DNA sequence: CGGGCGTTTGAAGGATGTCAATGATAGTGG
DNA sequence: CCACTATCATTGACATCCTTCAAACGCCCG
């Protein structure tokens, strides 16, 4: 694990790497102050558990750096990744005492952790924040529905293609925010093959085969096991079978969230 | 279609068949009055479209009778049921101009329809209602995650078993509310085989085979194509591979929603 | 240099989809 | 009232995608 990422983490909100996309950006100074009072920065090394399954839901958090995997286990031990949480996104179980899923570090994590009860109290005083939480929940739901289709209607090759497109999209979103233009068109998977397989509902062998098939077709170029240059974006989209708006939902770019109109009512 | 179900529908809230489990039950007289002003009863015959995909999200609704199927289509025409909405539950796309999914009548429907903008306005004036909408969204999300696991980690036999258990549970919930004790342990599928297949991510042939396999094992008794008596509940649960709380989530029985504590803050 | 982990590659087997034909049921019109 | 037709469900034979099992390879780190 790259220890450098977890060292010397700045805990000032003004230096927050995702401040423009978090909940904090949707409230006023007062709400912001209240939130900062109950939050603190926490790091979790890759593979670590943030919140176990059926554990006390004592806190919620925003991801500052890294990716959280949300998993669900069956009685016999089979485990399945049901969702991923990317930087700027919020996760945790609100208004319930116990978690229904396990939250784990898919990579080295930097989190902005908030006490759950404290957070719920802030929500009560700030309807605009609760509104934002609700909207984010709707987006999560749309993404989950999209994934339902992905996991059943799509073949494994289509799923792998979709995954490459989503990671590419997410990477470009991050670069946009950081105002950097280099290394575009490169899809970066923070997940190990094992996690990819679990997330896509298949096996590491099948993924390996499909990735190499796409490379043989000239659609992508394999840089290393987790970096892929997308050579033919159109073709990759065509193979994935998805529409642009499908991918937007999966990449966390809400297609037409007309939240501003209603939001203004709260100010 | 059974036309009788859609005839002479009573439009009085006091006669609402699901009044104890709807949103309406979570607000005060004032909110209730506001809601009733913007709502009206609407019937849709089985197979009809309630809201098309990428249509104007002009209204939202509560299901009074019947089941709504939420579907998503791919470019090439493949269609997938991503969710079902049962009586007492709410559906629709809030705070967005266009739907991302298609909502269709899986059976004859009686809906309590509300103008979307009007409903959003009521939510603004009644935080306790928006809070309830949010909680229901969280439950929907948990159910969608549960389904992600179901559709990938589980075999088709396990999925069929799960479906039978869920329909049994939902039926018993309905009977509870209606204070009737007859025909317990009978699983009733309102879905056609085609819809079942789409919902479970498999084919009608596979479902047919598994249902008959379960009957041959003495786990269920096939009454007709849509009615199944569950003879060995323990065994069926064991075959499904799920835990009791997994099934609770899928059946719409939230395991431990401690909403009362926070809700009291609003009153 | 050696061990362990992650990935790749190959071969074989199985679960499930596909194709096809028959049977059951309900609604329709004569 | 009864054939007639359409839709749905069942059943069988076959095809195939994908998993499983197995082994080799590469790479990082001790």
């Amino acid at each position: 694990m790259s220890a450098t990422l977890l060292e010397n983490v700045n805990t000032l909100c003004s230096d927050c790497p995702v401040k423009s996309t978090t909940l904090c950006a949707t409230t006023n100074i007062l709400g912001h102050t209240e939130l900062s009072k109950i939050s603190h920065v926490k790091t979790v090394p890759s593979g670590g558990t943030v919140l176990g399954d059926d554990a006390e839901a004592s806190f919620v958090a925003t991801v500052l750096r890294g990716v959280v995997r949300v998993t669900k286990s069956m009685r016999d031990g089979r485990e399945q990744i049901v969702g991923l949480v990317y930087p700027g996104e919020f996760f945790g179980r609100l208004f319930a005492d116990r978690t229904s899923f396990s939250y784990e570090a898919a990579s080295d994590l930097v989190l902005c952790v908030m006490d759950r009860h404290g957070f719920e109290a802030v929500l009560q005083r700030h309807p605009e924040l609760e509104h934002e939480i609700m909207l984010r929940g709707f987006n999560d739901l749309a993404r989950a529905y999209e994934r339902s289709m992905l996991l059943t209607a799509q073949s494994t090759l289509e799923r792998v293609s979709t995954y490459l497109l989503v990671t590419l999209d997410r990477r470009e979103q991050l670069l946009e925010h950081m105002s950097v233009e280099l290394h575009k068109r490169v899809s970066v998977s923070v997940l190990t093959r094992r996690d990819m397989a679990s997330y896509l509902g298949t096996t590491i062998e099948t993924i390996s085969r499909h990735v190499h098939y796409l490379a043989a077709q000239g659609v992508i170029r394999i840089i290393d096991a987790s970096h892929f240059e997308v050579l033919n974006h159109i073709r990759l989209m065509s193979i994935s079978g998805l529409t642009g708006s499908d991918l937007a939902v999966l990449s966390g770019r809400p297609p037409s969230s007309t939240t501003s109109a209603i939001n203004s009512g709260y100010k």
Side-chain angles (χ1 to χ4, degrees), chain A residues 102-139:
Chain A
S102 179
Y103 298 87
E104 297 149 12
S107 66
D108 286 346
L109 286 183
V110 183
L111 302 175
C112 181
V113 170
M114 293 165 281
D115 174 71
R116 195 197 100 215
H117 288 107
F119 185 74
E120 289 171 358
V122 175
L123 289 189
Q124 244 186 72
R125 287 191 292 272
H126 294 271
E128 81 279 5
L129 268 178
E130 184 160 289
H131 187 76
E132 177 66 21
I133 284 285
M134 183 186 66
L135 292 180
R136 284 171 183 250
F138 288 163
N139 284 336

mmCIF file of all heavy atoms in Angstrom, chain A residues 102-139:
data_model
loop_
_atom_site.group_PDB
_atom_site.id
_atom_site.type_symbol
_atom_site.label_atom_id
_atom_site.label_comp_id
_atom_site.label_asym_id
_atom_site.label_seq_id
_atom_site.Cartn_x
_atom_site.Cartn_y
_atom_site.Cartn_z
ATOM 1 N N SER A 102 -21.549 -4.290 4.685
ATOM 2 C CA SER A 102 -20.210 -4.050 5.186
ATOM 3 C C SER A 102 -19.539 -3.008 4.302
ATOM 4 O O SER A 102 -19.626 -3.078 3.077
ATOM 5 C CB SER A 102 -19.422 -5.364 5.161
ATOM 6 O OG SER A 102 -18.117 -5.152 5.613
ATOM 7 N N TYR A 103 -18.881 -2.050 4.924
ATOM 8 C CA TYR A 103 -18.175 -1.008 4.181
ATOM 9 C C TYR A 103 -16.681 -1.218 4.381
ATOM 10 O O TYR A 103 -16.202 -1.192 5.524
ATOM 11 C CB TYR A 103 -18.595 0.373 4.679
ATOM 12 C CG TYR A 103 -20.057 0.676 4.498
ATOM 13 C CD1 TYR A 103 -20.987 0.311 5.478
ATOM 14 C CD2 TYR A 103 -20.530 1.312 3.359
ATOM 15 C CE1 TYR A 103 -22.342 0.568 5.322
ATOM 16 C CE2 TYR A 103 -21.876 1.583 3.192
ATOM 17 C CZ TYR A 103 -22.776 1.202 4.180
ATOM 18 O OH TYR A 103 -24.115 1.465 4.013
ATOM 19 N N GLU A 104 -15.969 -1.442 3.277
ATOM 20 C CA GLU A 104 -14.547 -1.746 3.387
ATOM 21 C C GLU A 104 -13.718 -0.881 2.453
ATOM 22 O O GLU A 104 -14.218 -0.369 1.454
ATOM 23 C CB GLU A 104 -14.314 -3.237 3.051
ATOM 24 C CG GLU A 104 -15.004 -4.180 4.014
ATOM 25 C CD GLU A 104 -15.428 -5.474 3.339
ATOM 26 O OE1 GLU A 104 -14.975 -5.717 2.209
ATOM 27 O OE2 GLU A 104 -16.229 -6.221 3.943
ATOM 28 N N ALA A 105 -12.446 -0.757 2.774
ATOM 29 C CA ALA A 105 -11.546 0.061 1.966
ATOM 30 C C ALA A 105 -11.071 -0.748 0.759
ATOM 31 O O ALA A 105 -10.296 -1.682 0.905
ATOM 32 C CB ALA A 105 -10.364 0.528 2.798
ATOM 33 N N ALA A 106 -11.542 -0.366 -0.440
ATOM 34 C CA ALA A 106 -11.077 -1.027 -1.654
ATOM 35 C C ALA A 106 -9.695 -0.511 -2.035
ATOM 36 O O ALA A 106 -8.970 -1.140 -2.790
ATOM 37 C CB ALA A 106 -12.065 -0.793 -2.794
ATOM 38 N N SER A 107 -9.350 0.650 -1.503
ATOM 39 C CA SER A 107 -8.008 1.216 -1.672
ATOM 40 C C SER A 107 -7.716 2.021 -0.409
ATOM 41 O O SER A 107 -8.570 2.124 0.471
ATOM 42 C CB SER A 107 -7.963 2.117 -2.905
ATOM 43 O OG SER A 107 -8.785 3.249 -2.700
ATOM 44 N N ASP A 108 -6.525 2.567 -0.319
ATOM 45 C CA ASP A 108 -6.232 3.423 0.828
ATOM 46 C C ASP A 108 -7.244 4.553 0.874
ATOM 47 O O ASP A 108 -7.514 5.200 -0.136
ATOM 48 C CB ASP A 108 -4.813 3.996 0.713
ATOM 49 C CG ASP A 108 -3.759 2.936 1.001
ATOM 50 O OD1 ASP A 108 -4.123 1.872 1.544
ATOM 51 O OD2 ASP A 108 -2.580 3.178 0.703
ATOM 52 N N LEU A 109 -7.781 4.777 2.055
ATOM 53 C CA LEU A 109 -8.885 5.720 2.191
ATOM 54 C C LEU A 109 -8.534 6.926 3.052
ATOM 55 O O LEU A 109 -7.810 6.795 4.042
ATOM 56 C CB LEU A 109 -10.087 5.041 2.859
ATOM 57 C CG LEU A 109 -10.935 4.055 2.072
ATOM 58 C CD1 LEU A 109 -12.089 3.580 2.943
ATOM 59 C CD2 LEU A 109 -11.458 4.728 0.821
ATOM 60 N N VAL A 110 -9.088 8.070 2.658
ATOM 61 C CA VAL A 110 -9.148 9.215 3.550
ATOM 62 C C VAL A 110 -10.613 9.607 3.647
ATOM 63 O O VAL A 110 -11.249 9.910 2.628
ATOM 64 C CB VAL A 110 -8.314 10.408 3.033
ATOM 65 C CG1 VAL A 110 -8.352 11.554 4.045
ATOM 66 C CG2 VAL A 110 -6.879 9.981 2.772
ATOM 67 N N LEU A 111 -11.147 9.558 4.859
ATOM 68 C CA LEU A 111 -12.568 9.815 5.065
ATOM 69 C C LEU A 111 -12.794 11.038 5.930
ATOM 70 O O LEU A 111 -11.948 11.376 6.767
ATOM 71 C CB LEU A 111 -13.220 8.610 5.770
ATOM 72 C CG LEU A 111 -13.118 7.248 5.098
ATOM 73 C CD1 LEU A 111 -13.710 6.177 6.016
ATOM 74 C CD2 LEU A 111 -13.828 7.261 3.756
ATOM 75 N N CYS A 112 -13.940 11.673 5.705
ATOM 76 C CA CYS A 112 -14.392 12.710 6.624
ATOM 77 C C CYS A 112 -15.550 12.079 7.408
ATOM 78 O O CYS A 112 -16.659 11.955 6.898
ATOM 79 C CB CYS A 112 -14.862 13.948 5.866
ATOM 80 S SG CYS A 112 -15.407 15.292 6.930
ATOM 81 N N VAL A 113 -15.248 11.664 8.620
ATOM 82 C CA VAL A 113 -16.179 10.876 9.417
ATOM 83 C C VAL A 113 -17.031 11.775 10.320
ATOM 84 O O VAL A 113 -16.532 12.726 10.915
ATOM 85 C CB VAL A 113 -15.394 9.862 10.291
ATOM 86 C CG1 VAL A 113 -16.304 9.209 11.306
ATOM 87 C CG2 VAL A 113 -14.735 8.822 9.403
ATOM 88 N N MET A 114 -18.323 11.469 10.404
ATOM 89 C CA MET A 114 -19.222 12.254 11.265
ATOM 90 C C MET A 114 -20.038 11.336 12.159
ATOM 91 O O MET A 114 -20.545 10.311 11.693
ATOM 92 C CB MET A 114 -20.167 13.080 10.390
ATOM 93 C CG MET A 114 -19.458 14.169 9.608
ATOM 94 S SD MET A 114 -20.477 14.848 8.275
ATOM 95 C CE MET A 114 -20.281 13.577 7.031
ATOM 96 N N ASP A 115 -20.170 11.702 13.395
ATOM 97 C CA ASP A 115 -21.000 10.933 14.324
ATOM 98 C C ASP A 115 -22.426 10.881 13.781
ATOM 99 O O ASP A 115 -23.003 11.900 13.409
ATOM 100 C CB ASP A 115 -21.000 11.597 15.699
ATOM 101 C CG ASP A 115 -21.962 10.914 16.645
ATOM 102 O OD1 ASP A 115 -21.664 9.780 17.064
ATOM 103 O OD2 ASP A 115 -23.031 11.502 16.929
ATOM 104 N N ARG A 116 -22.993 9.663 13.757
ATOM 105 C CA ARG A 116 -24.279 9.502 13.099
ATOM 106 C C ARG A 116 -25.393 10.296 13.799
ATOM 107 O O ARG A 116 -26.144 11.026 13.149
ATOM 108 C CB ARG A 116 -24.682 8.023 13.051
ATOM 109 C CG ARG A 116 -25.797 7.740 12.076
ATOM 110 C CD ARG A 116 -26.439 6.418 12.326
ATOM 111 N NE ARG A 116 -27.680 6.582 13.060
ATOM 112 C CZ ARG A 116 -28.141 5.735 13.966
ATOM 113 N NH1 ARG A 116 -27.456 4.665 14.271
ATOM 114 N NH2 ARG A 116 -29.272 5.973 14.575
ATOM 115 N N HIS A 117 -25.475 10.161 15.115
ATOM 116 C CA HIS A 117 -26.544 10.876 15.814
ATOM 117 C C HIS A 117 -26.367 12.386 15.706
ATOM 118 O O HIS A 117 -27.338 13.131 15.537
ATOM 119 C CB HIS A 117 -26.601 10.428 17.274
ATOM 120 C CG HIS A 117 -27.134 9.042 17.449
ATOM 121 N ND1 HIS A 117 -26.338 7.975 17.788
ATOM 122 C CD2 HIS A 117 -28.389 8.551 17.289
ATOM 123 C CE1 HIS A 117 -27.069 6.873 17.844
ATOM 124 N NE2 HIS A 117 -28.319 7.189 17.539
ATOM 125 N N GLY A 118 -25.122 12.806 15.803
ATOM 126 C CA GLY A 118 -24.845 14.230 15.642
ATOM 127 C C GLY A 118 -25.263 14.706 14.262
ATOM 128 O O GLY A 118 -25.885 15.772 14.115
ATOM 129 N N PHE A 119 -24.961 13.891 13.262
ATOM 130 C CA PHE A 119 -25.295 14.246 11.892
ATOM 131 C C PHE A 119 -26.807 14.323 11.704
ATOM 132 O O PHE A 119 -27.329 15.257 11.087
ATOM 133 C CB PHE A 119 -24.690 13.226 10.927
ATOM 134 C CG PHE A 119 -24.880 13.562 9.484
ATOM 135 C CD1 PHE A 119 -24.137 14.572 8.892
ATOM 136 C CD2 PHE A 119 -25.803 12.874 8.712
ATOM 137 C CE1 PHE A 119 -24.308 14.890 7.552
ATOM 138 C CE2 PHE A 119 -25.982 13.185 7.374
ATOM 139 C CZ PHE A 119 -25.230 14.193 6.797
ATOM 140 N N GLU A 120 -27.515 13.349 12.273
ATOM 141 C CA GLU A 120 -28.974 13.351 12.159
ATOM 142 C C GLU A 120 -29.571 14.598 12.808
ATOM 143 O O GLU A 120 -30.550 15.165 12.314
ATOM 144 C CB GLU A 120 -29.549 12.080 12.794
ATOM 145 C CG GLU A 120 -29.263 10.820 11.975
ATOM 146 C CD GLU A 120 -29.640 9.534 12.700
ATOM 147 O OE1 GLU A 120 -30.094 9.608 13.864
ATOM 148 O OE2 GLU A 120 -29.466 8.449 12.103
ATOM 149 N N ALA A 121 -28.955 15.023 13.912
ATOM 150 C CA ALA A 121 -29.436 16.229 14.589
ATOM 151 C C ALA A 121 -29.237 17.458 13.699
ATOM 152 O O ALA A 121 -30.108 18.336 13.630
ATOM 153 C CB ALA A 121 -28.695 16.404 15.920
ATOM 154 N N VAL A 122 -28.092 17.490 13.010
ATOM 155 C CA VAL A 122 -27.838 18.607 12.094
ATOM 156 C C VAL A 122 -28.876 18.601 10.966
ATOM 157 O O VAL A 122 -29.382 19.650 10.567
ATOM 158 C CB VAL A 122 -26.406 18.534 11.512
ATOM 159 C CG1 VAL A 122 -26.195 19.620 10.462
ATOM 160 C CG2 VAL A 122 -25.377 18.671 12.619
ATOM 161 N N LEU A 123 -29.192 17.415 10.479
ATOM 162 C CA LEU A 123 -30.180 17.298 9.402
ATOM 163 C C LEU A 123 -31.520 17.883 9.832
ATOM 164 O O LEU A 123 -32.217 18.524 9.046
ATOM 165 C CB LEU A 123 -30.371 15.828 9.011
ATOM 166 C CG LEU A 123 -29.233 15.136 8.266
ATOM 167 C CD1 LEU A 123 -29.685 13.769 7.772
ATOM 168 C CD2 LEU A 123 -28.750 15.975 7.096
ATOM 169 N N GLN A 124 -31.866 17.644 11.100
ATOM 170 C CA GLN A 124 -33.144 18.145 11.589
ATOM 171 C C GLN A 124 -33.188 19.664 11.595
ATOM 172 O O GLN A 124 -34.221 20.266 11.298
ATOM 173 C CB GLN A 124 -33.369 17.624 13.013
ATOM 174 C CG GLN A 124 -34.554 16.703 13.127
ATOM 175 C CD GLN A 124 -34.837 16.337 14.556
ATOM 176 O OE1 GLN A 124 -35.316 17.147 15.344
ATOM 177 N NE2 GLN A 124 -34.511 15.115 14.895
ATOM 178 N N ARG A 125 -32.050 20.268 11.912
ATOM 179 C CA ARG A 125 -32.009 21.728 11.951
ATOM 180 C C ARG A 125 -31.821 22.337 10.562
ATOM 181 O O ARG A 125 -32.070 23.524 10.370
ATOM 182 C CB ARG A 125 -30.860 22.185 12.866
ATOM 183 C CG ARG A 125 -31.139 21.980 14.349
ATOM 184 C CD ARG A 125 -30.102 22.676 15.198
ATOM 185 N NE ARG A 125 -28.790 22.066 15.074
ATOM 186 C CZ ARG A 125 -28.357 21.051 15.816
ATOM 187 N NH1 ARG A 125 -29.147 20.528 16.727
ATOM 188 N NH2 ARG A 125 -27.153 20.551 15.650
ATOM 189 N N HIS A 126 -31.361 21.523 9.619
ATOM 190 C CA HIS A 126 -31.073 22.057 8.284
ATOM 191 C C HIS A 126 -31.754 21.225 7.205
ATOM 192 O O HIS A 126 -31.155 20.323 6.627
ATOM 193 C CB HIS A 126 -29.562 22.093 8.043
ATOM 194 C CG HIS A 126 -28.849 23.051 8.942
ATOM 195 N ND1 HIS A 126 -28.662 24.367 8.628
ATOM 196 C CD2 HIS A 126 -28.307 22.879 10.176
ATOM 197 C CE1 HIS A 126 -28.021 24.975 9.614
ATOM 198 N NE2 HIS A 126 -27.796 24.099 10.566
ATOM 199 N N PRO A 127 -33.010 21.557 6.923
ATOM 200 C CA PRO A 127 -33.767 20.811 5.911
ATOM 201 C C PRO A 127 -33.060 20.766 4.559
ATOM 202 O O PRO A 127 -33.221 19.809 3.806
ATOM 203 C CB PRO A 127 -35.073 21.600 5.794
ATOM 204 C CG PRO A 127 -35.177 22.344 7.072
ATOM 205 C CD PRO A 127 -33.775 22.647 7.505
ATOM 206 N N GLU A 128 -32.296 21.790 4.234
ATOM 207 C CA GLU A 128 -31.620 21.792 2.932
ATOM 208 C C GLU A 128 -30.587 20.674 2.863
ATOM 209 O O GLU A 128 -30.326 20.113 1.790
ATOM 210 C CB GLU A 128 -30.990 23.160 2.637
ATOM 211 C CG GLU A 128 -29.651 23.438 3.294
ATOM 212 C CD GLU A 128 -29.797 23.890 4.744
ATOM 213 O OE1 GLU A 128 -30.945 23.892 5.245
ATOM 214 O OE2 GLU A 128 -28.781 24.232 5.364
ATOM 215 N N LEU A 129 -30.019 20.327 4.015
ATOM 216 C CA LEU A 129 -29.067 19.220 4.044
ATOM 217 C C LEU A 129 -29.786 17.887 3.919
ATOM 218 O O LEU A 129 -29.355 16.989 3.198
ATOM 219 C CB LEU A 129 -28.263 19.245 5.349
ATOM 220 C CG LEU A 129 -26.942 20.015 5.315
ATOM 221 C CD1 LEU A 129 -26.279 19.991 6.680
ATOM 222 C CD2 LEU A 129 -26.015 19.430 4.260
ATOM 223 N N GLU A 130 -30.889 17.763 4.638
ATOM 224 C CA GLU A 130 -31.653 16.522 4.535
ATOM 225 C C GLU A 130 -32.161 16.351 3.107
ATOM 226 O O GLU A 130 -32.172 15.243 2.566
ATOM 227 C CB GLU A 130 -32.840 16.524 5.513
ATOM 228 C CG GLU A 130 -33.583 15.212 5.496
ATOM 229 C CD GLU A 130 -34.422 14.966 6.743
ATOM 230 O OE1 GLU A 130 -33.835 14.716 7.812
ATOM 231 O OE2 GLU A 130 -35.665 15.033 6.649
ATOM 232 N N HIS A 131 -32.537 17.461 2.499
ATOM 233 C CA HIS A 131 -32.982 17.416 1.101
ATOM 234 C C HIS A 131 -31.865 16.886 0.205
ATOM 235 O O HIS A 131 -32.091 16.025 -0.651
ATOM 236 C CB HIS A 131 -33.408 18.810 0.657
ATOM 237 C CG HIS A 131 -34.027 18.856 -0.704
ATOM 238 N ND1 HIS A 131 -35.312 18.448 -0.950
ATOM 239 C CD2 HIS A 131 -33.522 19.246 -1.889
ATOM 240 C CE1 HIS A 131 -35.572 18.585 -2.233
ATOM 241 N NE2 HIS A 131 -34.499 19.073 -2.827
ATOM 242 N N GLU A 132 -30.675 17.386 0.427
ATOM 243 C CA GLU A 132 -29.534 16.949 -0.376
ATOM 244 C C GLU A 132 -29.242 15.462 -0.160
ATOM 245 O O GLU A 132 -28.963 14.718 -1.109
ATOM 246 C CB GLU A 132 -28.298 17.785 -0.027
ATOM 247 C CG GLU A 132 -27.021 17.383 -0.744
ATOM 248 C CD GLU A 132 -27.058 17.624 -2.246
ATOM 249 O OE1 GLU A 132 -27.875 18.440 -2.695
ATOM 250 O OE2 GLU A 132 -26.270 16.978 -2.973
ATOM 251 N N ILE A 133 -29.319 15.026 1.081
ATOM 252 C CA ILE A 133 -29.128 13.601 1.381
ATOM 253 C C ILE A 133 -30.146 12.765 0.624
ATOM 254 O O ILE A 133 -29.831 11.729 0.049
ATOM 255 C CB ILE A 133 -29.283 13.358 2.906
ATOM 256 C CG1 ILE A 133 -28.037 13.833 3.638
ATOM 257 C CG2 ILE A 133 -29.539 11.878 3.199
ATOM 258 C CD1 ILE A 133 -26.839 12.919 3.478
ATOM 259 N N MET A 134 -31.369 13.266 0.610
ATOM 260 C CA MET A 134 -32.436 12.550 -0.091
ATOM 261 C C MET A 134 -32.128 12.463 -1.584
ATOM 262 O O MET A 134 -32.248 11.395 -2.192
ATOM 263 C CB MET A 134 -33.759 13.268 0.141
ATOM 264 C CG MET A 134 -34.952 12.572 -0.469
ATOM 265 S SD MET A 134 -36.440 13.562 -0.301
ATOM 266 C CE MET A 134 -36.006 14.954 -1.338
ATOM 267 N N LEU A 135 -31.714 13.580 -2.171
ATOM 268 C CA LEU A 135 -31.403 13.588 -3.603
ATOM 269 C C LEU A 135 -30.274 12.625 -3.919
ATOM 270 O O LEU A 135 -30.309 11.896 -4.913
ATOM 271 C CB LEU A 135 -31.012 15.003 -4.047
ATOM 272 C CG LEU A 135 -32.126 16.041 -4.011
ATOM 273 C CD1 LEU A 135 -31.599 17.390 -4.473
ATOM 274 C CD2 LEU A 135 -33.302 15.607 -4.871
ATOM 275 N N ARG A 136 -29.272 12.598 -3.050
ATOM 276 C CA ARG A 136 -28.161 11.679 -3.276
ATOM 277 C C ARG A 136 -28.649 10.233 -3.158
ATOM 278 O O ARG A 136 -28.185 9.348 -3.879
ATOM 279 C CB ARG A 136 -27.040 11.946 -2.278
ATOM 280 C CG ARG A 136 -26.240 13.184 -2.646
ATOM 281 C CD ARG A 136 -25.265 13.600 -1.555
ATOM 282 N NE ARG A 136 -24.579 14.819 -1.944
ATOM 283 C CZ ARG A 136 -23.293 14.887 -2.279
ATOM 284 N NH1 ARG A 136 -22.547 13.801 -2.240
ATOM 285 N NH2 ARG A 136 -22.758 16.033 -2.624
ATOM 286 N N GLY A 137 -29.574 10.012 -2.239
ATOM 287 C CA GLY A 137 -30.161 8.681 -2.121
ATOM 288 C C GLY A 137 -30.874 8.277 -3.393
ATOM 289 O O GLY A 137 -30.760 7.137 -3.850
ATOM 290 N N PHE A 138 -31.597 9.222 -4.004
ATOM 291 C CA PHE A 138 -32.282 8.933 -5.269
ATOM 292 C C PHE A 138 -31.279 8.545 -6.345
ATOM 293 O O PHE A 138 -31.514 7.625 -7.126
ATOM 294 C CB PHE A 138 -33.086 10.147 -5.737
ATOM 295 C CG PHE A 138 -34.323 10.406 -4.914
ATOM 296 C CD1 PHE A 138 -34.965 11.630 -4.967
ATOM 297 C CD2 PHE A 138 -34.844 9.427 -4.079
ATOM 298 C CE1 PHE A 138 -36.103 11.872 -4.210
ATOM 299 C CE2 PHE A 138 -35.980 9.663 -3.326
ATOM 300 C CZ PHE A 138 -36.604 10.894 -3.393
ATOM 301 N N ASN A 139 -30.170 9.272 -6.386
ATOM 302 C CA ASN A 139 -29.147 8.947 -7.380
ATOM 303 C C ASN A 139 -28.564 7.564 -7.123
ATOM 304 O O ASN A 139 -28.326 6.798 -8.058
ATOM 305 C CB ASN A 139 -28.026 9.988 -7.355
ATOM 306 C CG ASN A 139 -28.439 11.274 -8.027
ATOM 307 O OD1 ASN A 139 -29.332 11.277 -8.871
ATOM 308 N ND2 ASN A 139 -27.806 12.370 -7.653
#
